[in-house]
Amino acid sequence: MIERLCALLEDAGVELSEVELRDVLWFAATTAAARGEGDGDAPPPSRRSAAPVSGAADGEDEAKGAQRQLPGALTSGEPEPGPLVPAGLYAPGAARPAAARPARAVGVRGVRALPGTRRLSRALRPLRRSVPSRTSFRVDETATAEWIAETGLPDVVLRPRPERWLSVALIVDDGPSMVLWQQLAAEVRGLLERQGAFRSVRTYGLDSADEDRPVLRARPYAPGAPRRTARQLTDTSGRTVMLVLSDGVGPGWRGGAIPRLLRRWARHSPVAVLQPLPARMWPERGMPTQRLLVDAGGREGAPGRALSVRHPVLPLGLVSYDGMTPVPVLELAEGELGAWAALTGTGGGGEPLPVMLLDGAEKPVTARATAQVPEPTAEERLRHFRAAASPEAQRLAGALATVHPLTLPVMRLIHQAGAGRAERFHPAQLAEVFLGGLLRRREGSAEEYEFQSGVADLLLDAVRTSDALETAAQVTEFLLHRQGSGPEFRARLSGDHGDSRLAEEALPFAAASPELLSRLGLLEDAAEEEPPEREEPVRQPPEPAAPPP
């Protein structure tokens, strides 16, 4: 039950530590009886302010009111003085008990990180089959009656119950480079659970930050979760599929520790790596792959060491792969996932798949002393990014430079709102920007990011002012009409009505970036309108300083 509750909270975008989860359960247990003791049916004020209203009438009215009062949800200015405060969308953590502005908690639909879930579900159908259980039995009443009538012995005839053939262990790489794929990991787990093809779906965390010894945990993205060993995850019966979700960027891949772990699991179980990045972005050093023909020899659920590979073009026997353990590396797409599912479920083969060839001789790479590399300039960072990024990723980087603050939900919304329903939209385009060396985590914040010094100005040089302003309009339209199809996250909508309060210093959910305001001349105007007591006197160097009064 606890694991199920944690999974539901993660799907809703709520991250709680172990202590916070205990507090929530204690609060729910101690207040459950109090709800029935009240003199009315209305819930307490605290529950009214915390309940999401996505799809409810109140939430719809507030969203429509915001659309009438505010030209865009991406605003940068402070509320105008007067009795009516303009509506705006703010982050959920912006509420303060002593705030002066009323606000209402609303639910906003985010963007899915895993597109095409129906096609992926169809691709996994070859794994959906039942087998006689080895541990669960039922009484065959007809056979029991016949047995007693024929022999006179009061025995029962038991038949094994049908059960799902395979279980799944989803090992999520939660190293520093995988923070972008936390929502994707939750959606992949949900896809496997809804598939109905597996006895159980267990999820583990794999910290790839250690080059020599990767750390396995009971839950991904939970540093305080209990640790696990590779032996605890190994199923010697061979009826557990090991799926590793990773981008292959962490030091554990480059050092060879994780490939050795995969080879160990492949002795008994089918093993595959799920790659969230497109093939052109796969790291050659940590995850070298070849596209080869893979065959299981007709063996259903064959472990990795039982697979054979051959080159799709060269004559048979010209290249030898003896002693190699192939591990398929799959994009989250219908074609490759379906070919691997058919290989595992039916034992067939014949289709080329990208595979890693593990020979058991992987050794950690020894760090070599190198000269200190100077910090790259903004021009060098941007040049390196544009040399490898797709045109869609370059346009997305320009759109992100117009917005502040930058969080993962905001980045996904801007990506989806700008792409619309375009066929070329792919979540990996955001990964190109995120991993392209342009962003860094904002100092003092665990959720906000910012561009490296000088990069945002260079990006805006290639963005038209009309396009920069259009970004705000697109995201506003996306939010107000709730076009997202992903999990719901919480926000606060300010206005003249609301059950909670909003701090005066609260920042909007996403506002125009300082670089964009400076180009529009609004940042200087805002500085000039500050109260005189906050302004520093500007003195020219040739003039002597004025004596104090």
Side-chain angles (χ1 to χ4, degrees):
M1 291 295 293
I2 296 297
E3 293 182 359
R4 181 61 178 165
L5 175 60
C6 293
L8 293 174
L9 291 174
E10 290 178 5
D11 290 341
V14 179
E15 299 180 9
L16 297 178
S17 64
E18 183 178 353
V19 176
E20 292 173 336
L21 182 59
R22 290 177 181 177
D23 291 342
V24 170
L25 293 176
W26 174 85
F27 184 77
T30 54
T31 57
R35 289 199 298 268
E37 298 174 0
D39 54 357
D41 297 331
S46 60
R47 286 187 57 86
R48 288 201 304 267
S49 62
V53 296
S54 177
D58 292 342
E60 301 258 351
D61 294 340
E62 286 293 329
K64 293 177 182 177
Q67 188 177 12
R68 290 192 301 266
Q69 300 176 34
L70 189 69
L74 294 168
T75 58
S76 59
E78 291 295 327
E80 298 178 2
L84 180 62
V85 180
L89 196 63
Y90 293 82
R96 298 291 186 274
R101 286 184 286 173
R104 178 184 293 274
V106 297
V108 180
R109 281 288 179 183
V111 179
R112 287 190 180 275
L114 183 64
T117 53
R118 291 184 180 180
R119 295 192 298 271
L120 297 180
S121 181
R122 288 195 298 266
L124 293 174
R125 284 179 180 175
L127 303 177
R128 186 183 302 172
R129 51 176 293 198
S130 298
V131 295
S133 174
R134 301 176 182 177
T135 57
S136 180
F137 301 89
R138 62 178 178 83
V139 177
D140 189 334
E141 297 180 357
T142 302
T144 299
E146 294 176 352
W147 172 262
I148 295 176
E150 292 176 0
T151 64
L153 300 176
D155 292 336
V156 296
V157 179
L158 300 178
R159 306 290 186 191
R161 296 179 184 274
E163 68 178 9
R164 294 302 182 188
W165 173 35
L166 295 172
S167 297
V168 170
L170 178 62
I171 299 99
V172 180
D173 183 354
D174 54 6
S177 66
M178 287 290 293
V179 64
L180 181 64
W181 305 111
Q182 185 170 357
Q183 180 182 335
L184 176 69
E187 294 184 17
V188 170
R189 184 195 61 213
L191 173 68
L192 297 175
E193 291 176 343
R194 295 190 303 269
Q195 188 68 20
F198 308 107
R199 298 196 314 271
S200 63
V201 178
R202 296 170 295 164
T203 309
Y204 302 94
L206 173 63
D207 188 356
S208 60
D210 193 328
E211 187 172 309
D212 299 326
R213 189 183 298 273
V215 178
L216 289 166
R217 298 189 180 92
R219 294 191 307 275
Y221 300 102
R227 292 195 176 189
R228 296 290 185 263
T229 63
R231 178 178 296 179
Q232 289 175 316
L233 274 65
T234 302
D235 182 7
T236 56
S237 68
R239 296 180 60 184
T240 298
V241 177
M242 313 294 289
L243 297 178
V244 180
L245 178 64
S246 175
D247 57 6
V249 177
W253 289 92
R254 299 193 301 268
I258 295 181
R260 287 194 299 272
L261 191 62
L262 299 181
R263 182 181 173 87
R264 177 176 181 175
W265 287 332
R267 297 174 186 172
H268 306 283
S269 302
V271 179
V273 177
L274 302 180
Q275 246 289 2
L277 299 174
R280 61 184 176 81
M281 296 181 63
W282 294 357
E284 181 62 27
R285 184 182 175 189
M287 192 178 287
T289 59
Q290 303 180 45
R291 185 167 287 274
L292 302 174
L293 296 174
V294 187
D295 188 17
R299 180 177 175 180
E300 299 174 349
R305 67 174 180 177
L307 300 178
S308 60
V309 295
R310 62 184 178 89
H311 199 277
V313 178
L314 298 178
L316 187 63
L318 185 61
V319 181
S320 176
Y321 300 101
D322 294 339
M324 298 287 188
T325 300
V327 174
V329 182
L330 312 171
E331 285 191 63
L332 290 170
E334 182 180 6
E336 291 184 356
L337 201 60
W340 170 81
L343 173 72
T344 304
T346 65
E351 291 194 31
L353 287 174
V355 296
M356 294 178 61
L357 297 177
L358 310 179
D359 60 1
E362 300 86 6
K363 297 180 180 179
V365 178
T366 304
R368 299 179 180 178
T370 57
Q372 186 176 2
V373 179
E375 186 74 13
T377 64
E379 291 80 3
E380 292 173 344
R381 292 182 184 275
L382 190 57
R383 191 183 309 114
H384 178 75
F385 168 73
R386 288 175 173 171
S390 63
E392 293 80 11
Q394 296 184 36
R395 287 194 293 269
L396 175 61
L400 294 178
T402 67
V403 175
H404 170 80
L406 281 178
T407 62
L408 288 179
V410 171
M411 291 188 229
R412 291 193 184 100
L413 284 174
I414 293 175
H415 189 198
Q416 178 70 64
R421 297 183 179 273
E423 296 181 357
R424 300 192 60 133
F425 168 77
H426 195 281
Q429 296 162 7
L430 179 56
E432 293 184 63
V433 181
F434 193 83
L435 302 176
L438 303 182
L439 294 171
R440 63 187 177 191
R441 197 181 296 272
R442 181 180 290 274
E443 186 177 356
S445 175
E447 300 179 355
E448 294 184 19
Y449 296 84
E450 63 182 1
F451 282 97
Q452 298 282 355
S453 178
V455 172
D457 285 323
L458 295 177
L459 287 171
L460 290 175
D461 288 340
V463 178
R464 297 179 180 177
T465 303
S466 58
D467 294 340
L469 298 177
E470 183 65 18
T471 300
Q474 290 174 346
V475 178
T476 297
E477 189 75 10
F478 190 92
L479 289 172
L480 294 181
H481 290 83
R482 301 182 181 181
Q483 298 173 359
S485 58
E488 189 175 77
F489 62 91
R490 304 297 305 281
R492 294 184 182 274
L493 190 69
S494 68
D496 55 344
H497 298 286
D499 300 322
S500 60
R501 312 297 290 177
L502 190 68
E504 290 293 341
E505 65 274 10
L507 293 175
F509 178 78
S513 65
E515 293 82 5
L516 178 60
L517 292 176
S518 178
R519 287 173 177 266
L520 298 176
L522 300 178
L523 194 61
E524 297 177 356
D525 294 343
E528 292 177 358
E529 294 176 0
E530 291 183 358
E533 60 272 15
R534 296 184 181 180
E535 295 182 353
E536 295 281 342
V538 180
R539 299 186 176 95
Q540 300 296 333
E543 299 179 0

